[in-house]
Amino acid sequence: MTILDGKKTSNDIKNEIKVEVDKMKANGEKVPHLAAVIVGNDGASLTYVGSKVRACERVGFESTLVKMSSTTSEIELLDKIEELNQDTDIDGFIVQLPLPPQIDTQKVLLAVDPDKDVDGFHPTNFGKMALDMSTFIPATPFGILELLERYDVSTKGKHTVVIGRSHIVGRPMSILMGRKGFPGNSTVTLTHSHTKNITQITSQADIIITALGVPGFLKAEMVKDDAVIIDVGITRVPDEARERGYYITGDVDYDAVSKKASYITPVPGGVGPMTIAMLLKNTLLARERHRAMRK
Ligand code: GUN
């Protein structure tokens, strides 16, 4: 069994990005600039956004953190997005999800200039992804592809089962694994809360990608020998014995499933760190495109 080490791989990618940024600096060029907008005080979201900003510092990007209160109105957020769309210094930006209930997430995602949409959530970019056109691929699916590629995990002709149909992970992953090329060329089954007999489906899978947020959902008896297991779940389980007051766990019953798997991602240290590295990669791509357009 091989552990798909997202921590190490994401560090490799960050080092590669830093080399590119150092070249830009040496040539007197503008470095990539990422902005992140967070609305409200959700603990996990604040942690994720903080990690994204720190990662920018690590590779030499400029970053801007925009913190807005939990009572921010939809109009106020849309105004801020328009400001970021117009700001020529900013190459890309993200609006951290989920948003508070008074704000319509779809309206917000539609307001982001697709040219700066480094999360790849705008319908224009999502459509381009589905049509194999060059675009920003959402960071978590992009990170999974990168892990499969760097560990040379075979995907051609394999049966990939995706668990969960979220717009951020499950849905795009189901499209990407079926695309022509590597990683891809898989036969894909997308399962969700209305899927009947899920064990029958997962036990036929060569590759399982689970993005549910239900700790321990995927058990050993649901997995065939030598399956590839990608765990996208990140759940904070309260635990007073720990200093932070919680521990992080994934969707997979890791101890039992890892004994059967050929490859597996741990949680933490698997897909999570890859998401941040790929957001940086998308931001670098945005800067390169802007440079080509002399922006
Ligand atoms: N919330 C959970 N994952 C993500 C992500 O990749 N991007 C944004 N903007 N919000 C998220």
Side-chain angles (χ1 to χ4, degrees):
M1 185 272 292
T2 303
I3 291 177
L4 298 169
D5 186 343
K7 197 159 181 227
K8 179 195 170 294
T9 309
S10 68
N11 267 323
D12 293 346
I13 294 168
K14 286 182 202 162
N15 288 337
E16 292 159 18
I17 293 172
K18 187 165 187 313
V19 169
E20 293 304 314
V21 176
D22 287 345
K23 275 190 217 158
M24 289 175 168
K25 283 185 183 162
N27 291 335
E29 290 170 13
K30 175 183 164 359
V31 299
H33 185 168
L34 174 71
V37 181
I38 178 154
V39 185
N41 302 308
D42 177 66
S45 292
L46 284 165
T47 305
Y48 296 148
V49 170
S51 306
K52 290 171 185 179
V53 169
R54 271 197 310 282
C56 284
E57 283 163 20
R58 151 101 156 71
V59 298
F61 285 8
E62 291 216 39
S63 64
T64 298
L65 179 57
V66 181
K67 275 187 170 172
M68 303 180 81
S69 90
S70 58
T71 56
T72 301
S73 69
E74 190 175 281
I75 292 286
E76 284 169 321
L77 179 55
L78 291 172
D79 283 347
K80 177 52 77 180
I81 289 172
E82 192 46 32
E83 195 184 309
L84 295 168
N85 283 341
Q86 298 299 331
D87 186 338
T88 52
D89 197 65
I90 287 173
D91 294 293
F93 66 96
I94 63 156
V95 181
Q96 187 66 25
L97 302 180
L99 290 167
Q102 73 273 18
I103 298 175
D104 180 342
T105 302
Q106 288 204 348
K107 250 192 203 171
V108 167
L109 298 182
L110 272 168
V112 176
D113 180 349
D115 190 42
K116 294 190 174 187
D117 170 37
V118 285
D119 255 334
F121 292 169
H122 191 284
T124 294
N125 288 325
F126 202 95
K128 284 184 169 179
M129 176 198 70
L131 295 170
D132 297 339
M133 296 164 76
S134 164
T135 187
F136 301 116
I137 294 174
T140 302
F142 197 7
I144 295 169
L145 295 183
E146 193 77 13
L147 267 182
L148 293 172
E149 187 177 340
R150 290 192 184 224
Y151 280 85
D152 203 20
V153 178
S154 168
T155 59
K156 185 165 75 178
K158 304 290 183 191
H159 182 198
T160 294
V161 172
V162 179
I163 306 175
R165 57 181 159 184
S166 74
H167 294 172
I168 296 181
V169 185
R171 188 80 56 85
M173 214 55 236
S174 69
I175 295 169
L176 291 162
M177 291 301 283
R179 292 202 309 185
K180 283 185 182 166
F182 173 68
N185 285 328
S186 262
T187 304
V188 180
T189 304
L190 179 58
T191 66
H192 46 74
S193 51
H194 293 277
T195 298
K196 294 192 176 117
N197 239 330
I198 191 155
T199 298
Q200 198 182 18
I201 298 170
T202 55
S203 55
Q204 291 173 26
D206 301 305
I207 301 170
I208 300 177
I209 300 168
T210 172
L212 271 186
V214 178
F217 174 84
L218 192 76
K219 305 212 164 16
E221 56 268 27
M222 299 170 74
V223 174
K224 76 172 181 184
D225 282 337
D226 294 328
V228 176
I229 308 294
I230 308 290
D231 188 351
V232 193
I234 300 182
T235 304
R236 290 182 172 198
V237 180
D239 181 0
E240 283 175 13
R242 314 228 177 178
E243 202 181 317
R244 287 190 297 188
Y246 64 88
Y247 68 91
I248 300 274
T249 190
D251 289 348
V252 176
D253 180 0
Y254 187 87
D255 289 343
V257 171
S258 60
K259 292 193 177 83
K260 290 177 96 175
S262 56
Y263 294 89
I264 189 165
T265 60
V267 176
V271 175
M274 291 300 291
T275 296
I276 295 180
M278 302 322 277
L279 174 66
L280 298 176
K281 206 156 178 176
N282 276 342
T283 308
L284 179 65
L285 176 66
R287 173 84 287 277
E288 284 166 349
R289 284 186 183 171
H290 290 150
R291 182 176 56 192
M293 296 189 292
R294 302 198 180 282
K295 278 199 202 169

